[in-house]
């Protein structure tokens, strides 16, 4: 993505947030257009669950669609995509198969790889990292996939508006984290990363609120509610810490 149209100005998180809100309005129109249910009554995640082989596949398809719909309204810089033929979207989003290029790797190579992966969290917080090496995103991803598995067990009569919004918002937590990560950690786009991550925090808070409402509707067992609530509460807090870390990085870069 280029800075064309931004007059070379360094945008902070609030300027990016206003811009992203406009992008989301346009992407929502596109979303309604491409959904199989033209009236917009069936959430996209339900359709993807039916079309996918597993909940993991449905999650990946959901996140990719969310990113592509937002990306459609950003100007592109051809120089940013000079390596487009080498890497595809799925490689960026969910990492590479570590051994595809090294089919004959021996045990020593494997051990060295394991040692390298112990440092991957720091590496993830760079423009050369992989989203799937970001622990926060992995937590959001595993949570979202488990929510999809749980949703399939909820009787149709209990799948009301609150239920549908809760599942959708649970998926959007990870989608917005991925959206922020796609901007990277360079100073000029760090504000966009923060703005997207704040949206992830908002969806986490909304999900916590709706989870409480669903508890009274007997959608959860006592055990499943305790587990999901604990995971979501911790995820929400971790996102808040991550936002502050990104802000510190942005502020330190302009001091």
């Amino acid at each position: 993505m280029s800075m064309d149209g931004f007059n070379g100005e360094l945008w902070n998180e609030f300027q990016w947030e206003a811009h992203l809100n406009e992008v989301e309005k346009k992407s929502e129109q596109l979303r309604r257009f491409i959904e199989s249910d033209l009236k917009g009554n069936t959430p996209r995640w339900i359709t993807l669950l039916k079309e996918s082989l597993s909940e993991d596949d449905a999650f990946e398809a959901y996140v990719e669609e969310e990113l592509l719909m937002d990306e459609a309204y950003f100007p592109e810089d051809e120089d940013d995509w000079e390596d487009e033929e080498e890497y595809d979207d799925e490689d960026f989003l969910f990492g590479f198969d570590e051994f595809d290029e090294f089919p004959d790797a021996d045990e020593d190579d494997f051990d060295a790889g394991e040692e390298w992966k112990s440092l991957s969290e720091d590496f993830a917080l760079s423009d050369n990292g992989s989203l799937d090496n970001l622990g926060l995103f992995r937590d959001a991803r595993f949570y979202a996939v488990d929510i999809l598995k749980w949703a399939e067990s909820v009787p149709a009569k209990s799948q009301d508006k609150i239920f549908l919004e809760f599942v959708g918002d649970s998926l959007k937590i990870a989608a917005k984290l991925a959206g922020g990560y796609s901007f990277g950690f360079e100073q000029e786009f760090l504000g966009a990363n923060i703005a997207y991550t704040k949206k992830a925090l908002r969806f986490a808070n909304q999900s916590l609120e709706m989870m409480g409402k669903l508890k009274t509707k007997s959608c959860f067992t006592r055990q499943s509610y305790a587990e999901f609530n604990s995971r979501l509460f911790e995820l929400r807090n971790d996102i808040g810490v991550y936002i502050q870390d990104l802000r510190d990085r942005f502020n330190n870069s302009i001091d």
Side-chain angles (χ1 to χ4, degrees), residues 28-253:
E28 184 61 31
Q29 295 172 2
L30 178 61
R31 181 179 292 106
R32 287 197 296 266
F33 177 76
I34 69 170
E35 285 186 352
S36 57
D37 178 9
L38 297 180
K39 295 182 179 179
N41 295 327
T42 302
R44 185 61 179 159
W45 62 265
I46 291 181
T47 303
L48 291 174
L49 269 178
K50 294 177 180 178
E51 295 175 348
S52 303
L53 296 176
S54 68
E55 292 85 2
D56 289 272
D57 289 344
F59 167 79
E60 292 188 8
Y62 181 89
V63 173
E64 288 176 14
E65 282 191 4
E66 287 288 308
L67 292 182
L68 288 172
M69 281 187 280
D70 285 354
E71 186 179 284
Y73 295 98
F74 281 99
E76 285 190 0
D77 186 335
E78 292 182 1
D79 292 339
D80 292 341
W81 303 105
E82 59 186 4
D83 296 326
E84 185 175 9
E85 294 182 0
E86 185 175 355
Y87 307 118
D88 60 25
D89 289 338
E90 189 170 340
D91 288 333
F92 164 75
L93 285 172
F94 306 109
F96 298 92
D97 187 332
E98 297 167 31
F99 302 106
D100 278 352
E101 297 182 13
F102 307 101
D104 298 322
D106 57 24
E107 290 185 3
D108 290 339
D109 290 334
F110 179 81
D111 291 338
E114 290 299 299
E115 182 177 355
W116 177 85
K117 283 194 290 186
S118 68
L119 304 175
S120 61
E121 181 71 14
D122 289 336
F123 186 71
L125 297 176
S126 73
D127 287 331
N128 297 316
S130 168
L131 175 62
D132 226 19
N133 286 332
L134 183 66
L136 182 62
F137 176 77
R138 288 199 305 271
D139 291 343
R141 174 182 182 169
F142 295 148
Y143 171 78
V145 170
D146 286 344
I147 284 292
L148 286 177
K149 294 177 180 178
W150 163 81
E152 291 179 299
S153 70
V154 175
K157 64 180 181 180
S158 299
Q159 296 185 13
D160 58 9
K161 181 179 179 181
I162 294 176
F163 165 84
L164 297 176
E165 290 181 355
F166 168 71
V167 177
D169 284 1
S170 296
L171 296 176
K172 287 177 182 176
I173 297 170
K176 296 307 178 183
L177 288 174
Y181 192 90
S182 70
F183 280 90
F185 299 88
E186 293 296 327
Q187 182 190 48
E188 61 183 344
F189 293 120
L190 198 51
N193 194 336
I194 297 170
Y196 255 110
T197 306
K198 285 167 64 177
K199 292 180 181 295
L201 180 62
R202 176 167 61 85
F203 284 118
N205 281 323
Q206 289 179 186
S207 295
L208 276 171
E209 181 180 354
M210 285 185 284
M211 184 182 288
K213 295 178 180 179
L214 289 175
K215 181 182 180 182
T216 63
K217 297 177 180 292
S218 301
C219 290
F220 294 98
T221 64
R222 180 177 298 181
Q223 180 179 354
S224 64
Y225 177 84
E227 178 189 348
F228 281 128
N229 185 263
S230 175
R231 290 171 65 183
L232 181 55
F233 187 82
E234 183 175 355
L235 178 61
R236 189 274 307 270
N237 291 346
D238 288 345
I239 293 172
V241 173
Y242 180 58
I243 290 172
Q244 190 56 53
D245 288 344
L246 293 177
R247 283 173 172 162
D248 290 343
R249 180 178 291 213
F250 179 83
N251 292 330
N252 290 337
S253 69

